[in-house]
Amino acid sequence: MQTLDTFNRPLRDLRISVTDRCNFRCTYCMPKEIFGPDYTYLKKDEVVSFEDIARLARVFVDLGVNKLRLTGGEPLMRRDIENLIDMLANIPGVDDLALTTNGSFSPKRVRSLKDAGLRRMTVSLDALDDPTFKVMNDVDFPVEKVLEWIDASAELDFQPVKVNMVVKRGVNEHSILPMARYFKERGHILRLIEYMDVGNSNGWRLDDVVSAKEMVEHVNTELPLEASDPNYQGEVARRYRYKDGSGELGIIASVTQAFCVDCTRIRLSADGKLYTCLFATKGHDLRALLQDGANDDEMRQAIQTIWTQRNDRYSEIRAENTSEKPKIEMSFIGG
Ligand code: SAM
Ligand code: SF4
Ligand code: SF4
């Protein structure tokens, strides 16, 4: 089944935030000044259960979703996430089951994720040198441990591993080339991400954004690149091949080259609210519907109505957006 929104975009990808908590305090996502000791996270009983997530996922698959991604917060902070992966991997129609993690846990865990049925691994890493990485994660976490996680993932056939690097001007631009070289040699796909104005707490300024164009030109000076075609409709990363045939690089240009026209994503937050855009100001409370005893048909109907009314295209209209409404934090809605 295909469910289309008001711009004829099909519903294809569901990103599931399993927790709003994280052990990092990346300055662009959960800055310490806001996410400090007094910050109120969701309580245990406010977080949507694995059973409910799996039930919702089945309904989403009926409506055309074939890709699931677990995210957060830090998804590995959610206890026994392997049980959820097992449930989701067994849903007929799920072609892709991926996880985005900061790679800070014991690499032994990679095995249990794989055994549970995880198919793809995306790891976030913003620099190859400790001083820069530590400035960005703000909890003194070393690069080496994340590299160990990436190695363990590659060894267990999560190949290629995707590595997300958010680039912030004046902070980690100098790490672009070392990162590109390092991951090219190992056959992983580095994805350079423009720093986005998600949430309200990261103090975003356009001046801090290094544009996709600048990033490509910079890599190209040493490692010649050529553009290649997207793998599928809705792929947000622009793909580039290294001309020497040694692999590829992705660029996520959410600020300077918006991709709303192809956006097939929907997001479920850790408290069971549904958001039709990363920059949404309001969610739809699916958990409440479940608790009111809605059956699968009623859930399907509710989600279908939400998607068919969708008209989001925040990144395309960012420049003219003067809304004062608070946006939802990325750690809450899921990146
Ligand atoms: N904790 C996990 C991690 O860091 O991989 C998963 C959640 S995190 C919110 C998902 C992705 O969003 C990460 O790759 C992160 O770098 C990216 N992200 C967070 N804040 C961002 C921002 N302001 N601009 C661009 N990307 C951002
Ligand atoms: Fe945590 Fe990921 Fe946000 Fe960093 S980007 S603070 S690791 S949720
Ligand atoms: Fe999709 Fe919203 Fe991002 Fe546009 S701004 S690509 S609609 S999530």
Side-chain angles (χ1 to χ4, degrees):
M1 168 166 187
Q2 178 144 281
T3 312
L4 301 176
D5 71 4
T6 59
F7 295 125
N8 277 330
R9 297 171 295 190
L11 172 58
R12 288 263 178 273
D13 322 47
L14 172 64
R15 299 168 88 88
I16 304 166
S17 173
V18 293
T19 177
D20 59 338
R21 291 166 196 260
C22 187
N23 53 336
F24 280 17
R25 285 293 172 274
C26 302
T27 53
Y28 51 75
C29 179
M30 296 180 74
K32 254 185 190 159
E33 310 80 67
I34 312 268
F35 294 87
D38 297 333
Y39 185 81
T40 314
Y41 294 93
L42 293 173
K43 291 189 210 66
K44 238 186 181 157
D45 62 352
E46 291 171 322
V47 173
V48 62
S49 70
F50 288 166
E51 287 70 23
D52 282 350
I53 293 177
R55 189 177 152 205
L56 286 172
R58 260 181 244 112
V59 173
F60 277 103
V61 169
D62 282 349
L63 290 168
V65 163
N66 57 7
K67 292 178 64 181
L68 303 178
R69 177 172 294 276
L70 300 176
T71 178
E74 173 47 48
L76 297 179
M77 302 265 298
R78 179 87 185 253
R79 189 188 290 234
D80 298 329
I81 184 93
E82 287 81 354
N83 294 347
L84 175 63
I85 292 173
D86 179 52
M87 291 178 194
L88 299 177
N90 284 305
I91 299 177
V94 173
D95 300 333
D96 191 11
L97 179 54
L99 172 88
T100 308
T101 173
N102 60 23
S104 62
F105 290 76
S106 161
K108 287 191 191 124
R109 194 85 189 270
V110 177
R111 160 70 66 192
S112 60
L113 295 170
K114 178 88 187 176
D115 289 348
L118 187 69
R119 310 226 185 114
R120 290 197 302 122
M121 181 79 77
T122 302
V123 184
S124 303
L125 178 65
D126 297 323
L128 264 193
D129 66 283
D130 269 341
T132 309
F133 185 47
K134 287 180 178 182
V135 162
M136 293 194 81
N137 65 53
D138 216 10
V139 291
D140 215 30
F141 200 85
V143 173
E144 192 54 38
K145 292 218 168 234
V146 183
L147 295 180
E148 284 168 15
W149 179 275
I150 295 172
D151 286 347
S153 304
E155 270 162 33
L156 286 182
D157 267 355
F158 284 113
Q159 274 287 33
V161 179
K162 287 188 178 159
V163 180
N164 281 356
M165 171 182 184
V166 176
V167 180
K168 213 173 154 185
R169 190 177 300 284
V171 184
N172 65 337
E173 296 151 282
H174 62 278
S175 305
I176 294 178
L177 268 172
M179 290 277 286
R181 268 184 234 119
Y182 182 92
F183 291 111
K184 173 178 180 290
E185 271 167 28
R186 286 156 184 82
H188 306 319
I189 301 178
L190 176 65
R191 299 173 355 137
L192 302 171
I193 304 182
E194 286 181 352
Y195 170 44
M196 284 188 292
D197 50 335
V198 281
N200 317 286
S201 58
N202 62 11
W204 184 88
R205 295 177 322 140
L206 189 57
D207 288 352
D208 295 331
V209 179
V210 179
S211 73
K213 187 164 174 284
E214 272 178 89
M215 297 198 265
V216 172
E217 282 170 4
H218 183 54
V219 175
N220 198 44
T221 53
E222 191 185 312
L223 307 169
L225 291 168
E226 58 193 2
S228 49
D229 294 333
N231 283 318
Y232 54 88
Q233 189 212 349
E235 186 170 47
V236 300
R238 285 166 190 257
R239 298 173 62 217
Y240 290 84
R241 264 191 305 263
Y242 291 110
K243 282 191 179 160
D244 66 5
S246 64
E248 67 176 85
L249 177 88
I251 304 274
I252 303 187
S254 13
V255 178
T256 64
Q257 299 163 22
F259 36 75
C260 303
V261 66
D262 274 335
C263 180
T264 58
R265 295 177 168 183
I266 199 157
R267 294 176 155 84
L268 182 69
S269 64
D271 61 349
K273 294 206 175 75
L274 195 60
Y275 294 88
T276 54
C277 178
L278 185 52
F279 298 91
T281 50
K282 184 176 140 292
H284 305 265
D285 198 346
L286 295 189
R287 187 162 175 260
L289 280 181
L290 289 174
Q291 285 174 338
D292 287 347
N295 64 28
D296 285 359
D297 272 343
E298 287 162 338
M299 294 308 297
R300 199 171 6 255
Q301 194 59 52
I303 296 167
Q304 196 166 19
T305 304
I306 292 167
W307 188 263
T308 51
Q309 290 174 355
R310 175 186 192 242
N311 61 2
D312 304 281
R313 51 186 201 96
Y314 177 88
S315 287
E316 284 178 355
I317 55 175
R318 173 183 274 113
E320 63 210 58
N321 193 333
T322 50
S323 163
E324 295 297 315
K325 283 191 199 151
K327 292 174 276 177
I328 310 297
E329 296 298 332
M330 185 126 166
S331 54
F332 187 82
I333 199 172

